[in-house]
Every structure is written in C-alpha cells, then in structure tokens.
Amino acid sequence: MAPPTGPRGARGARPGPRTTHGAGVGKHRATPRTDQDGDISMGSAIPATQSTGPPARSARGSRGARGGRAARSTARLAENVRNYVSDTDSSSRASKAQFNKTTLKIHGLKNSKAASNPDGGLRSLLEFLERKSSKERPITLGRGVIQGDYVFVKVSKDDAPHLLRLNGYTWAGAALAIEETSDPVPGHDRPSAKNPATADTEQKLLGILASRYNAEQKLLDLSALGSDPTLISLGSFASRSLAEKSFKVLLYLTSSQYDDAAAKEQAIQAVSLANNAIQDVAEVFTLAHTLPRLRRLDLSGNQLENLSKLSKWRHEFRRLEELHLVGNPVVAQSNSLSQIVDWFPSLQILNGERVRTPKEAADALAAWFPTPLPRLPSNLRDGENNIASTFLRGFFSLFDHDRAALAAQFYDADSWFSVSVDADHNRDPISQSYIKYSRNIGELGVRNPGTQQRLFMGGPLISELWTLLPATRHASLDQLDQWKIDCHTFPGLADPSGQGSAIGLMINIVSQSEEVDVRQQLAGIRTFSRTFVLGPSKPGAPHPYRVVSDQLTLRDWTPQAPAPAAAPAPPAAPIAAVPPAAPDEMTQLAMVQELAGKTGMTAEYSRLCLSGAANWDFNLALASFHEKKAQLPPEAFASSA
Amino acid sequence: MAASAHETNIRCSAEAAKNFVDWYYRQVNEAKPIAQGYVNGNATYDRAGHAPADICINGLVVATPQEWEKLLEQQRQCPKQTDPNQKLVRYDVEVFNCHVINPDYRFAAPQKMLDLHAPTDGVRMMMMLTVGGTVYFGTGRNKGDGYFAKERFQDVFILVPNWDVLGKPGAKVGRKYLVASQIYRTF
C-alpha cells in the first residue's frame, strides 16, 4: 500500500491561482451578501440587481469558493472510501464511468527479492514507482491489487505516461513490465473459501469439531485442545494468543454449522473446556455469545485462581444448570462457590453437588428476568348448547374441503371477512398468496383505500376470495393440544329483526394448519389465529346463528417436505417438473381452486380441465384453457368473471 | 348496503382501532394504568347496568381490569436485574385489524347521541379489534433491542362507544371507545 506521504502534502500546499481568492479578498466582498436580504450596500461596487441573478462567483466572495473546495474534497474523500471499502463488486466499479482513470498491469513482482515481504512486496513496489515517476511533478499511487503474477493499479490518465516510461526498469532484481490494460481491477484478495489452504484448514478444524461432538449427550468436547494432534500439527495452539484466536475460529465454525440460534441451542447443550490451562475466562469469553443458552459447562482442570477470573461471565449463561470447576484454585477459596451460585441463577449442580432444586432455579431466574404468564388450557364458555364447539367442528372441516358450502351455510349478506398477514416473505414464501388481500391496518394506514377494498362482505364475495387462498388442512378438534380456543358471550349485538339487542359469541382460536400452495409448489405448517363473532341469524337461514365477523391472522410458517404433487425441487427452480399422477384429494382441491381463481371458470369446469388430458399438471391445464377458451360455453365461467 | 359497510364507518373504525392500539400498548409498555380504557367503572355504563368487561387472559378469567394490571405487573417483576436494557417487557404490535360488528349501538346511549348520529356516521359503532405481535421479556425500550425470551401474542377486544367522551366534541380527556370484552393469548 502506498503511503500518502510527501507528494500529496506538497500538492495540497502548492501555490496556485486559487490562493489569490484567499480570505483577504473575501473579507471585502462579504458585504454584498447582505444584498440578498434587500439591504443595498452603498459601499459595494456591485449593482444590487446582480445579487438576485445567478450567483456570480466574485459576488459570492470567499465563502462560495471555500464551499466549492470543501465539497470537492468531500466528494473525493467519499470516492476514496468507496474505492477502498467496496471490494465486493469490482466489476461494477470498473464499469463505472471513470473517464480520467486508466488501469496499469505490472509484471515482475513475483520474481523480485521483495516478493518475500509480508505484503508480497506490493508496498515497496508502489513506493519505487511513485519515486521514479515523480520526476516532473509528484505522483501518488492508490491501492494496488495482486492477482496472480500481476499487480493492478488504477492511475489517472495524466500520470499513466510517466509510469509507462518505467517499463523495463529493473527493481529488486526483477525486470518490470508495465502495460495499460482494459481488464477490470480484480477484487481485493480476501481470504475466502476459494483459497485452497484456508479451505483445507477449515476442513481439518471441522473434522476436529465433528470428532469431538457427542450427539447423544449433545456435548461439544473442547477439552485439552492443546494436546490435540491435529491442532498441534496446525500450530494453532502454539502460543497463548494464538490459542485464543484458534478457539474463536472453532466457535465460529461451530456456529456456521447451524441455520439458526434455536437449532444450535438444541444441538449443543453441553461444552467441556476441561484441561485447557485457562487462567481467565476472558480468554474463552466468546463461548458466552456463541452458546448463550448453554446448560452444562465443564471447566475443571484449568488455572482459574479466584472469582475475578470468572467474573467476566457473571452476566452470561443465564440458563447454565451444571458447572464443574474441580481442579481450579478458585474452588479452595471460601465463599467463592456461594458467589458463583448467585451469579448463575439457573445453576443446580456445582462440582457434582446439588445447589438448587429445579423450582429454586426457576425462581432465581425469575428474579433476574420478567416471566411470561402461565398458559392455561382452552377456556370455552359458550353456554349449555356448546355452540362454539359444534360450530368450529363443522367450520374447519368444511374450510378444508368445501369452502363454497361453508360460506353458504354460515355467512349472509352482512358477514365480514378479512385476512391479515404478519410475515416475512423470505421465511414465509406462501404469504405471497395472501399478501394482496392482507388488511393490516397498521401497515396500510387508516386512510389507505386498501382498508376498504380488503374488507370482504357477504357470503358470495367471501367464498370467491377463499378460492384464491392456499388449501389448508386443520388438525381434528379432538387433538386438544393443537388448539387454544377461548370464547365467551357478550351483549350488545344488533338483533336481525331490527328490534332490541342480541347476545353475541366471541371466539378466538390459536392453532396450526398444514398449508399447500399449488402455484408455488410450496407446503408448510402455519400458525394462525382466527377470531369470530357469532350472532343470531336472520329468518330463513340454515342455522340459528351466523358469522358476523371473521378475522384471520396469519403468523409463522414453517416449510415442510413438499406436498405429493410438488417435485422436491428448490423453490427457485422453474415449475416445469411434471407432478406424478393423481395427487391426493386435498391437493386436487387446491389445484381446482387455483385454476378457478386464475381462469374465472367454475369449480366443475376447472376440475374437468385438470383431470382431463392435463392429468393434474397445473401448467398444462392452464395452457389448454388458454387454447380452448373461445370454445368454452358461457356456463363454464363463474358469474362474477 | 348495510350500514356497517358504509365508507365512514370503515374509516372511523380503522382510526379508532389505531388510536386504541397506540394508546393501549404504550400504556402497557410504560407500566401505566389501562383500567380507564374498560367499561368497568364508567359511570354511564354502570348506571345502565352493563356487565363488567369479560377479560380472559391465557385461559384465565380475571374479574377486573385492575387484576389484569396486576398480572402485567407480576409479569414485569425482576428485582435482581439492574440493567435497564434487560428488565422490561415490551409488546411490539405487528398486525391489527378491525370490523364494525354493530353500527347502530344503542346501549346506554344518551338520546342526544341517537338523534345526532345515524348508524352510518361512524360514531355509534361496536367493533371487534384483533391485534397480533410479539412480546419480549428482559429487553430494552426500543424495537430490535436484545431480549431474554419472546412469545407471540394475540389480543382481541370488543370496543363500545364511550358516550361521555363522544358526546362532548372537543373533549381532550378519556378514551372514545371502551373495552367491553377481551381475550388474550400467547403462543
């Protein structure tokens, strides 16, 4: 790296025409600025009218000039920082218009004596080039990049001839070949997985981790690392500071093996750091951040002298249940163990002795952190007729299999439905199928027309919307652990007769359902909540009660193995894979609904279209629909189409 | 078209929902009282003989909003924690939605309100509001702070007009809509 030394400083202090615009002149001309406020300065030689015109450079005085210079240097600084920092995408940087820049390719560094320098001799080469090219005027070189046998460096077009003149010079025992090139400057040479040496080390370390992991006990055994033959051969634990770094690398690699914190926490519940000659836990502090919810930790056989050597961890490991310190001097000190028990609220076993019961540990932890309220089972207060259970049993079975019939039974002209989505579309790709109907007032804003448009009223409209939503499969209501249902009655609903008020039933459900989106070939398990208000029906309705309001809120979604119809391909792959014949009933239904939604055909015709020549290939069916659209009878289309 | 589908009702209910959600969770997050947001203790509703609000918290029926406040207080307890960024309970609302379930609410309504406001005026509304989000335990004041544990929550409210406030245009104090019923669940 070329040091920004003398030449740059000299350039900055260079006498030039700009200095004549210095402060001395500006002082006199500061007065015209007041003209802008309407005060005409009689002392000024510049007519008042001029100040309202385009800002003349002279009228602005020194302020304008200074501002310009500052702006230029800020821009240059920003550019430098950008060049320096953004080595991620060198091609886009190279393609950026830099009209006054050109790239030089220098050969010879690898053959020189300087090649054994820590930086490969880059710095001394650039210093040499700067010195030799700065004969007429100072030339500063920026960052150079080594790629293979060549050094790439970007220089200004004005400087290029001075550097090209050095072609053929001998430097540090090697002949330099300098040429202009149109190749982009390669990215900064970072140590990455591509580097074979790094990859090799990484593989070796991963091998160590794998051999030291006990899946049965969920234990990562990092004891006696200093005597591990592989680590000795790598030299990772040759010195204390190197050992600390190597330990960090091991933990980093451990983390990288898991998709998320929950998986890591599940897989590694115990760690042994026994016999590692640890003098202070600060040396292995990273463990607390890598595995904050660790349950069991073995520190025996180390050199922890007193409590202060453990105190770095006193606010960590809130869930640590078991700790072993045997073989450390700290154990012999009075009070130290009781202090340790106090530091780690969940600690139940210290050096093999029980220090807290699980109940006491839970209480001790609760003293440190707010505790969630207990969750009681479903609370159904739906009167003697068990309206809620009867209604829900019918509801979810019909919602899974025949949504049109469901809407006809329980939804009348005044029923409301809306869906709102609380999802991150990366983790929850199916949410895309809902998002355009999502009525999340907080996200839309109260005055957004969406709050009106995404409110669906009346059975037919609701039923139509439901055909567009992904297919679902709910657990049986007999599986009590799958459902949290709370309901109670409340007064104040309008009676459908128009006279007086009626009792309503408010039901809130939190549960999970399987969900399939045929179009995206995605399947998963969805946590949802659904809230109903039931009220008395109008005369002539099929049931004595009706749905007044139905709000569906979609929460977390966990991907599952794709549905039988979907090929086990990653979601990014084109949906060209032909699904195997005869998908199960639920998938068929979902496909029918999807096709109906896309084409505007009725469910019967959609089913015909899918089950015919297309043989349940959705894309084929859609293609054949577009082919034969004109020949289809009008009754093939739903009335709303 | 039914009155509840009237544009004014939809807009006013969305506004009322937003106001309520903003107020309620701010009070809860700042450990301030919420009981004044319920029909319990409201003189007009009490006089007309309205039943106390039915509040069901994680399957447990609590008799009064004050008891719910006590549960929230119990949830916040962590006497040993000294770090302000690890001792709070914070509710982050992520999604909410509201339907008018009775645009012509009459219970305990003063005659003046019945004369003044038609069912399409977006005033005499009974609403169902659902709120979803995440509650963080052992966290700081701001979104994105670290936390010790988290849960999802679902909160459902039946809101009814507070005649005392709605009847006085320009009233600065008090909630426009009161909770007549609540179901709260974490999962």
Side-chain angles (χ1 to χ4, degrees):
Chain A
M1 201 72 47
T5 49
R8 185 166 284 166
R11 195 196 275 172
R14 162 183 69 181
R18 256 187 239 162
T19 33
T20 59
H21 282 293
V25 181
K27 236 179 216 168
H28 289 291
R29 292 189 178 168
T31 4
R33 273 196 285 132
T34 55
D35 291 354
Q36 285 180 312
D37 301 325
D39 296 329
I40 299 165
S41 165
M42 297 310 285
S44 171
I46 296 136
T49 47
Q50 200 178 324
S51 65
T52 55
R57 194 178 177 85
S58 60
R60 284 280 165 171
S62 62
R63 191 171 163 235
R66 208 186 294 141
R69 197 151 52 212
R72 260 199 306 281
S73 69
T74 321
R76 194 174 60 211
L77 184 69
E79 177 64 22
N80 286 348
V81 169
R82 233 185 342 264
N83 282 347
Y84 198 84
V85 171
S86 70
D87 46 14
T88 45
D89 192 359
S90 54
S91 57
S92 76
R93 185 152 43 90
S95 64
K96 236 180 269 164
Q98 284 187 311
F99 299 112
N100 55 349
K101 294 270 181 179
T102 182
T103 307
L104 297 183
K105 202 161 98 170
I106 305 156
H107 183 264
L109 178 63
K110 278 278 148 72
N111 311 330
S112 72
K113 291 174 198 156
S116 56
N117 289 3
D119 66 341
L122 184 62
R123 185 191 169 101
S124 28
L125 171 67
L126 292 176
E127 273 175 2
F128 169 79
L129 293 174
E130 272 183 343
R131 202 166 59 236
K132 288 291 174 190
S133 61
S134 305
K135 284 272 148 69
E136 290 172 24
R137 58 187 181 80
I139 287 176
T140 324
L141 294 177
R143 186 171 70 108
V145 176
I146 303 177
Q147 166 99 9
D149 290 343
Y150 291 92
V151 173
F152 288 82
V153 62
K154 210 165 236 188
V155 299
S156 91
K157 279 204 170 131
D158 296 345
D159 295 346
H162 297 279
L163 286 155
L164 287 169
R165 217 178 47 211
L166 306 178
N167 188 10
Y169 270 48
T170 306
W171 170 74
L176 294 179
I178 304 175
E179 54 181 299
E180 219 171 325
T181 176
S182 55
D183 297 348
V185 178
H188 190 55
D189 194 15
R190 280 174 300 177
S192 65
K194 285 174 202 151
N195 185 332
T198 317
D200 183 49
T201 313
E202 195 178 310
Q203 278 313 312
K204 277 186 187 160
L205 292 176
L206 284 175
I208 293 172
L209 287 171
S211 68
R212 283 167 167 269
Y213 177 65
N214 181 334
E216 201 177 312
Q217 297 180 33
K218 304 195 168 172
L219 165 73
L220 183 62
D221 182 1
L222 298 177
S223 61
L225 290 172
S227 54
D228 188 293
T230 323
L231 289 173
I232 291 174
S233 73
L234 286 169
S236 322
F237 283 73
S239 73
R240 195 159 273 278
S241 67
L242 207 54
E244 267 182 52
K245 283 177 189 157
S246 308
F247 182 74
K248 279 186 189 168
V249 171
L250 281 175
L251 290 184
Y252 173 78
L253 288 174
T254 308
S255 286
S256 69
Q257 299 304 302
Y258 299 98
D259 293 340
D260 56 20
K264 185 170 65 178
E265 180 194 327
Q266 186 56 37
I268 306 177
Q269 299 183 355
V271 167
S272 170
L273 287 175
N275 306 318
N276 273 319
I278 299 168
Q279 292 172 348
D280 189 320
V281 294
E283 295 163 23
V284 287
F285 182 81
T286 332
L287 183 70
H289 286 170
T290 312
L291 296 163
R293 293 182 168 227
L294 193 67
R295 301 242 191 105
R296 307 194 303 277
L297 177 62
D298 188 354
L299 283 172
S300 51
N302 284 300
Q303 297 160 13
L304 299 165
E305 246 175 55
N306 50 40
L307 276 177
S308 71
K309 305 294 181 196
L310 261 167
S311 63
K312 279 277 188 321
W313 269 349
R314 58 179 294 187
H315 297 297
E316 311 296 333
F317 296 122
R318 309 325 287 177
R319 311 253 184 197
L320 190 69
E321 292 166 8
E322 194 176 329
L323 177 64
H324 293 277
L325 285 168
V326 180
N328 287 283
V330 65
V331 179
Q333 290 175 3
S334 59
N335 293 336
S336 64
L337 293 185
S338 63
Q339 183 66 62
I340 288 167
V341 172
D342 191 50
W343 280 351
F344 300 103
S346 303
L347 196 63
Q348 294 173 35
I349 294 169
L350 179 57
N351 295 338
E353 282 175 41
R354 182 163 283 280
V355 290
R356 277 196 192 100
T357 63
K359 169 83 176 65
E360 283 168 344
D363 289 347
L365 189 66
W368 278 94
F369 291 102
T371 326
L373 295 171
R375 295 176 193 167
L376 276 64
S378 297
N379 183 322
L380 284 134
R381 287 174 289 142
D382 52 351
E384 284 168 11
N385 297 330
N386 294 324
I387 290 176
S389 11
T390 322
F391 166 73
L392 293 176
R393 211 168 276 278
F395 184 91
F396 284 108
S397 138
L398 274 176
F399 191 77
D400 289 346
H401 296 111
D402 192 351
R403 292 177 185 176
L406 176 64
Q409 281 192 39
F410 290 106
Y411 293 72
D412 70 7
D414 294 333
S415 299
W416 287 115
F417 172 79
S418 60
V419 56
S420 38
V421 184
D422 169 21
D424 167 356
H425 61 84
N426 288 321
R427 269 177 306 172
D428 183 359
I430 281 198
S431 69
Q432 296 293 334
S433 315
Y434 294 102
I435 203 89
K436 53 185 173 232
Y437 313 112
S438 170
R439 186 177 193 257
N440 178 357
I441 298 175
E443 205 167 77
L444 289 172
V446 289
R447 291 185 179 270
N448 189 312
T451 56
Q452 310 252 355
Q453 291 152 5
R454 296 175 187 193
L455 202 48
F456 296 87
M457 188 185 209
L461 193 62
I462 293 170
S463 163
E464 197 183 317
L465 171 69
W466 283 351
T467 62
L468 304 175
L469 302 183
T472 51
R473 184 154 50 197
H474 292 83
S476 153
L477 277 156
D478 298 323
Q479 287 174 273
L480 293 177
D481 56 328
Q482 296 271 326
W483 299 85
K484 284 280 179 297
I485 305 169
D486 299 306
C487 70
H488 60 253
T489 52
F490 64 93
L493 273 188
D495 194 89
S497 65
Q499 295 299 312
S501 73
I503 298 287
L505 181 64
M506 167 191 188
I507 311 174
N508 184 54
I509 297 148
V510 177
S511 182
Q512 292 189 332
S513 66
E514 288 174 54
E515 203 170 62
V516 177
D517 187 320
V518 176
R519 185 169 45 85
Q520 297 189 67
Q521 299 202 356
L522 285 171
I525 293 187
R526 151 95 57 209
T527 306
F528 70 94
S529 48
R530 196 155 189 167
T531 314
F532 299 96
V533 167
L534 302 186
S537 288
K538 290 172 192 164
H543 291 275
Y545 49 87
R546 66 182 188 105
V547 173
V548 177
S549 162
D550 171 3
Q551 295 187 22
L552 172 63
T553 311
L554 305 167
R555 310 298 284 270
D556 314 325
W557 180 79
T558 323
Q560 261 189 330
I575 314 179
V578 178
D584 73 6
E585 194 190 330
M586 177 174 148
T587 320
Q588 285 188 5
L589 186 79
M591 289 170 83
V592 168
Q593 283 178 357
E594 180 67 25
L595 189 68
K598 278 214 155 146
T599 59
M601 285 196 295
T602 61
E604 292 87 331
Y605 273 85
S606 302
R607 185 173 275 277
L608 278 177
C609 183
L610 277 160
S611 60
N615 194 22
W616 295 102
D617 180 339
F618 187 80
N619 288 342
L620 270 180
L622 196 62
S624 75
F625 164 77
H626 285 301
E627 250 174 54
K628 298 176 185 163
K629 195 174 177 181
Q631 304 159 23
L632 287 170
E635 62 265 28
F637 294 94
S639 55
S640 60
Chain B
M1 190 191 280
S4 60
H6 199 275
E7 201 182 310
T8 315
N9 275 332
I10 295 174
R11 199 192 65 238
C12 289
S13 64
E15 267 168 16
K18 178 157 177 29
N19 283 340
F20 180 83
V21 168
D22 286 351
W23 171 79
Y24 183 85
Y25 293 98
R26 192 178 58 234
Q27 297 288 104
V28 170
N29 285 343
E30 294 179 1
K32 289 179 180 163
I34 47 171
Q36 70 272 35
Y38 290 74
V39 289
N40 305 42
N42 177 282
T44 311
Y45 276 96
D46 277 355
R47 259 202 313 276
H50 194 283
D54 192 319
I55 307 170
C56 182
I57 305 299
N58 263 349
L60 176 76
V61 182
V62 300
T64 59
Q66 285 78 9
E67 270 187 45
W68 170 217
E69 283 175 358
K70 264 186 216 153
L71 283 180
L72 284 168
E73 182 54 41
Q74 176 195 323
Q75 191 175 241
R76 278 190 287 266
Q77 283 301 317
C78 52
K80 288 194 102 170
Q81 185 59 262
T82 49
D83 184 347
N85 288 321
Q86 290 187 49
K87 67 183 300 168
L88 300 182
V89 176
R90 196 183 72 249
Y91 284 79
D92 280 358
V93 173
E94 282 145 15
V95 54
F96 68 92
N97 198 351
C98 175
H99 289 177
V100 178
I101 54 174
N102 182 2
D104 188 13
Y105 190 74
R106 289 163 174 270
F107 189 90
Q111 191 56 43
K112 189 184 83 176
M113 294 300 285
L114 295 175
D115 296 344
L116 215 56
H117 296 292
T120 52
D121 277 4
V123 175
R124 294 196 285 114
M125 300 180 293
M126 181 185 218
M127 296 171 277
M128 178 171 76
L129 164 67
T130 59
V131 186
T134 309
V135 48
Y136 296 93
F137 298 89
T139 183
R141 198 168 287 284
N142 302 307
K143 253 184 187 163
D145 283 352
Y147 56 88
F148 177 66
K150 71 171 176 181
E151 286 182 335
R152 302 293 219 140
F153 75 90
Q154 165 85 358
D155 230 342
V156 188
F157 303 92
I158 301 275
L159 299 177
V160 294
N162 183 356
W163 303 119
D164 302 347
V165 172
L166 289 170
K168 287 186 208 127
K172 291 255 192 296
V173 189
R175 310 300 314 155
K176 283 187 177 170
Y177 292 87
L178 301 171
V179 179
S181 224
Q182 179 182 9
I183 294 175
Y184 169 91
R185 265 286 168 194
T186 57
F187 50 99

